[in-house]
Amino acid sequence: MSNEALPAKEQLPYWAELVSRELAPLTLSSANVAGFPARASVLSLGSVRVAAFDSPPAHLRRTWADIRRSDPGTYQLTFVSGTSLWISQRRQDSGLVLGDMVLFDVSHPFEGAVPDQGRHTQVVIMQLPRELLPLPPDKVHRLLAQPLSARTGMGAILARFMTTLDAYGPDCDPRELSRLGVMALDLAGACLAQHLGAYDDLPVETRQQAMLDRVNAFIDHNLSDPELRPADIAAHHHISVRSLHTLFQQQGETVAASIRRRRLERCHTDLTDPRQRRRSISAIAARWGFVRPADFSRAFRGAYGVTPRELRQAALCSQPDTRNGLR
């Protein structure tokens, strides 16, 4: 959704109405006099929604009168990039937040703003139904309008999950989106519990899913290491190898099979990428942890039914040649 095609004087009213509809009724104002060009996207994950907004500096305010008009009963977990913003709620103030997250509750009045620094702000907001989050409201309220780190641990995993959803979620089918909604609740619950020091208060299933997400993120980050083994993964996360294998039963594949599948997927992507045409097949294989070219070729053919060379030739032949202006 975008208001950029509208006349400048109509852009802010349109955007204010859109934000009130997608988040909750509120008042939005801006000092920008040359228009208010902005964009948004919204993705439904069943009970969870993810909204991405890109807009100029603005001030927003939600009052008790707004709450009486409509109260969706959600927490809004917001990852902030572009330029900083601040949120104030229940006598708590976040200060300027940039590159981290901040939480607010639409069932209570709040105020927030993006200081006018001449740049747009980008936020990704995960809307979490209060009754589905596996933490008591009195504990969650301690985190309202407080900066929550998105740079390490569960916070970093959750922030990356949120931004990835905005980029790739529209490609998923409804069943996949519903499963992602369950994952979103588990990750958000684990992240907030970590900040509260209340991780043990989470249901066992939530803790297991959060651990599985952490392990998967670790594997993705270390696929290039040919020595990546289940024992190393388990040791890094302070769990036993047996516990690691139990976690992966939820995914329907072994740890080793999961590592191999992801490595092959990365190789498949590189082999079909015209920007990688000058990189040798063996170099691509080594980049993703395959030390022996023969083993890689055998595994690749078993997974995709063609050799790496056959796939690359087919992919390059199907792509237009833009060198020297040719198409």
Side-chain angles (χ1 to χ4, degrees):
M1 298 171 280
S2 171
N3 64 359
E4 295 174 328
L6 297 175
K9 65 179 181 180
E10 298 179 17
Q11 290 177 347
L12 181 60
Y14 174 91
W15 190 254
E17 181 181 350
L18 183 147
V19 172
S20 290
R21 183 177 71 245
E22 298 299 337
L23 295 185
L26 51 79
T27 300
L28 187 147
S29 59
S30 173
N32 281 30
V33 295
F36 197 85
R39 298 185 178 191
S41 62
V42 180
L43 182 68
S44 177
L45 308 176
S47 58
V48 176
R49 297 171 81 238
V50 176
F53 297 93
D54 183 324
S55 64
H59 180 274
L60 39 81
R61 186 167 178 261
R62 179 163 162 83
T63 66
W64 283 118
D66 295 323
I67 293 167
R68 286 192 292 271
R69 285 174 54 200
S70 174
D71 181 8
T74 58
Y75 295 115
Q76 311 280 326
L77 185 61
T78 305
F79 174 67
V80 186
S81 60
T83 188
S84 56
L85 64 72
W86 61 263
I87 291 286
S88 179
Q89 187 172 51
R90 291 175 66 94
R91 300 183 180 179
Q92 300 178 153
D93 194 301
S94 69
L96 294 178
V97 177
L98 178 62
D100 288 318
M101 298 179 290
V102 64
L103 180 73
F104 58 99
D105 184 348
V106 297
S107 297
H108 294 269
F110 67 85
E111 186 175 7
V114 176
D116 192 346
Q117 299 177 358
R119 301 192 306 274
H120 279 216
T121 191
Q122 292 92 40
V123 298
V124 180
I125 302 177
M126 184 177 288
Q127 303 174 39
L128 305 161
R130 193 165 48 246
E131 71 274 10
L132 296 183
L133 197 67
L135 289 167
D138 62 322
K139 289 189 175 182
V140 177
H141 284 174
R142 301 177 200 167
L143 299 178
L144 297 179
Q146 298 294 303
L148 306 173
S149 175
R151 303 169 195 272
T152 59
M154 287 302 305
I157 293 172
L158 178 57
R160 183 175 180 182
F161 178 76
M162 292 167 65
T163 54
T164 302
L165 279 176
D166 176 55
Y168 301 108
D171 298 330
C172 298
D173 63 41
R175 287 180 299 176
E176 291 172 329
L177 290 174
S178 181
R179 288 195 293 269
L180 287 171
V182 174
M183 289 177 60
L185 282 168
D186 287 336
L187 278 174
C191 178
L192 297 178
Q194 186 179 65
H195 281 91
L196 288 165
Y199 197 75
D200 290 340
D201 292 350
L202 294 173
V204 173
E205 295 81 4
T206 299
R207 281 181 277 161
Q208 288 178 337
Q209 183 61 52
M211 176 59 74
L212 181 58
D213 293 332
R214 287 179 59 192
V215 169
N216 279 325
F218 177 81
I219 291 173
D220 285 338
H221 186 69
N222 290 278
L223 282 175
S224 61
D225 181 3
E227 299 301 320
L228 185 64
R229 301 286 186 271
D232 304 313
I233 298 168
H236 181 85
H237 293 88
H238 308 291
I239 60 176
S240 68
V241 174
R242 181 177 180 181
S243 297
L244 178 66
H245 287 303
T246 300
L247 279 175
F248 270 72
Q249 290 176 1
Q250 302 176 38
Q251 297 192 155
E253 62 183 353
T254 65
V255 180
S258 179
I259 294 172
R260 183 172 59 252
R261 171 181 57 78
R262 295 184 219 193
R263 284 174 169 162
L264 289 171
E265 289 172 351
R266 301 304 194 282
C267 291
H268 188 285
T269 298
D270 284 357
L271 288 167
T272 55
D273 184 351
R275 295 169 299 181
Q276 305 279 351
R277 69 173 73 219
R278 297 187 182 279
R279 178 172 287 184
S280 70
I281 293 175
S282 60
I284 289 175
R287 179 188 183 191
W288 296 112
F290 288 102
V291 177
R292 300 180 180 84
D295 292 345
F296 166 63
S297 294
R298 186 165 50 252
F300 193 92
R301 182 164 193 146
Y304 296 107
V306 294
T307 67
R309 188 174 303 280
E310 289 169 344
L311 176 73
R312 168 174 268 185
Q313 290 174 343
L316 293 179
C317 288
S318 67
Q319 293 163 352
D321 190 346
T322 57
R323 293 172 297 176
N324 302 320
L326 297 177
R327 291 186 178 275

